[in-house]
Amino acid sequence: MSRAVIAIHGGAGAISRAAMSVEKEQEYRRALAEIVASGQAILAAGGSALDAVTEAVRLLEECPLFNAGKGSVFTHQGTHELDASVMDGRTLDVGAVAGVSHLRNPVLAARAVLEHSPHVLFIGEGAEDFAAQHQLETVEPDFFSTPARWEQLQRALVSQQTLLDHDGAAQDTSGDPLDNDRKFGTVGAVACDLHGNLAAATSTGGMTNKQAGRVGDSPLAGAGCYANNATVAVSCTGTGEVFIRTLAAYDTSALMEYAGLTLQQASDRVVMEKIPQLGGSGGLVAVDREGNVALPFNSEGMYRGYGYLGEDPVVGIYREA
């Protein structure tokens, strides 16, 4: 019998303990716990895994601490390009959008694609037009901007680096617990509901100083997001190109289905062996059809949390001792 549970992530990366402040760490932990609790409430009320992950990712998009929605990073051209996907493990239906700049909550647009279109992925203006047809909220691009993200772009331009949410030599004074120039900026959620159905959702603001038009793994089913009731729901965060090349999310499922690995074995194989072999870094959150949870990451830290029904949310940032 499956146990209803939700797990979320808010990005993975390198810890800057020298820059860490107790206040900022508590701010992250509080945000993670509140979002997990929101997902738990949906599941406890009999809501679907799909509803739980959609709402959890929407809340992560609304929180400027994370690189998705409000607080998204800048491209090299000083613009914002957001991507998101959602997958229903019960039906294998998928919806995704990429390269959007005016949709307040890209994950809601991805959900609309899943529910109202025979297609899987819309990009750019086409995605925004589709979302507008379904009465989703639009905003001006500066809605996503924050001073901290603009400063990250300026550092990246000086160092001529393309940064995974925040990658490079940090000159950080924000007190963030993860080095603000070395954090992989994706958010995501996975869940198993009371009926044993699985779902996953992933959203991102992209890479600081990336070339406009670049798309990573987040909106790609099988790469940054995957859910199948027969096996597992997965949401990834990390070096997007490597997660695409390895089909990291689907590979976790395939290792369980075809090789008979457990959830922990499969997710560890992908994150700790296959991704690093290609020079990649990051992690994932996953839940199987029994409600087991795995949260592996090969970087020094990953914002993460999970919660079973009737239990307090469990959140973490650093590698456990």
Side-chain angles (χ1 to χ4, degrees):
M1 174 136 182
S2 60
R3 299 176 64 196
V5 64
I6 184 166
I8 67 173
H9 70 78
I15 294 173
S16 177
R17 291 193 178 274
M20 181 189 69
S21 73
V22 173
E23 293 78 14
K24 182 62 73 171
E25 179 177 343
Q26 289 306 310
E27 191 176 351
Y28 275 102
R29 290 181 179 275
R30 185 165 52 251
L32 291 167
E34 289 174 354
I35 293 169
V36 169
S38 295
Q40 288 175 295
I42 291 172
L43 296 174
S48 69
L50 192 61
D51 285 344
V53 299
T54 302
E55 176 62 7
V57 170
R58 186 193 72 80
L59 291 170
L60 286 160
E61 290 176 343
E62 288 290 316
C63 182
L65 293 172
F66 305 106
N67 173 26
K70 181 71 172 177
S72 289
V73 299
F74 287 89
T75 68
H76 178 77
Q77 289 77 4
T79 59
H80 296 288
E81 293 181 345
L82 287 65
D83 312 321
S85 62
V86 61
M87 186 164 183
D88 186 348
R90 182 178 63 87
T91 61
L92 301 186
D93 286 336
V94 181
V97 296
V100 299
S101 301
H102 295 87
L103 301 183
R104 176 168 181 152
N105 295 111
V107 73
L108 297 184
R111 177 70 179 267
V113 174
L114 182 152
E115 292 182 330
H116 303 297
S117 174
H119 308 305
V120 166
L121 173 62
F122 283 88
I123 65 169
E125 289 185 14
E128 294 183 346
D129 289 344
F130 180 86
Q133 292 170 19
H134 292 85
Q135 291 75 52
L136 295 181
E137 184 176 355
T138 59
V139 294
E140 290 303 311
D142 61 4
F143 169 83
F144 304 112
S145 306
T146 65
R149 298 304 192 203
W150 182 252
E151 291 169 9
Q152 287 164 17
L153 175 62
Q154 302 315 303
R155 288 196 300 272
L157 291 170
V158 169
S159 63
Q160 297 185 333
Q161 289 180 308
T162 301
L163 311 180
L164 292 167
D165 179 11
H166 322 273
D167 210 37
Q171 303 293 324
D172 182 40
T173 59
S174 69
D176 280 344
L178 292 192
D179 185 332
N180 251 0
D181 281 332
R182 300 183 63 198
K183 181 170 77 65
F184 303 121
T186 308
V187 306
V190 294
C192 177
D193 64 27
L194 290 168
H195 304 288
N197 295 315
L198 302 178
T202 307
S203 181
T204 187
M207 299 166 64
T208 294
N209 199 30
K210 72 160 191 166
Q211 287 299 307
R214 177 264 185 189
V215 177
D217 63 306
S218 296
L220 302 181
C225 183
Y226 189 74
N228 185 334
N229 273 12
T231 50
V232 67
V234 182
S235 177
C236 300
T237 172
T239 315
E241 281 71 13
V242 175
F243 280 75
I244 294 170
R245 291 162 62 196
T246 57
L247 286 175
Y250 175 72
D251 196 25
T252 304
S253 173
L255 286 168
M256 296 174 66
E257 183 172 2
Y258 303 126
L261 271 60
T262 65
L263 170 65
Q264 195 66 57
Q265 290 170 336
S267 58
D268 281 348
R269 177 80 59 86
V270 170
V271 172
M272 301 302 184
E273 298 179 27
K274 293 191 171 188
I275 294 295
Q277 285 173 357
L278 295 180
S281 182
L284 60 80
V285 295
V287 58
D288 67 16
R289 59 184 180 179
E290 279 81 42
N292 298 308
V293 171
L295 307 96
F297 55 96
N298 59 39
S299 50
E300 286 113 30
M302 182 172 75
Y303 296 123
R304 62 200 186 274
Y306 68 92
Y308 289 96
L309 297 197
E311 299 181 10
D312 291 336
V314 177
V315 302
I317 297 175
Y318 311 112
R319 190 174 300 285
E320 302 298 336

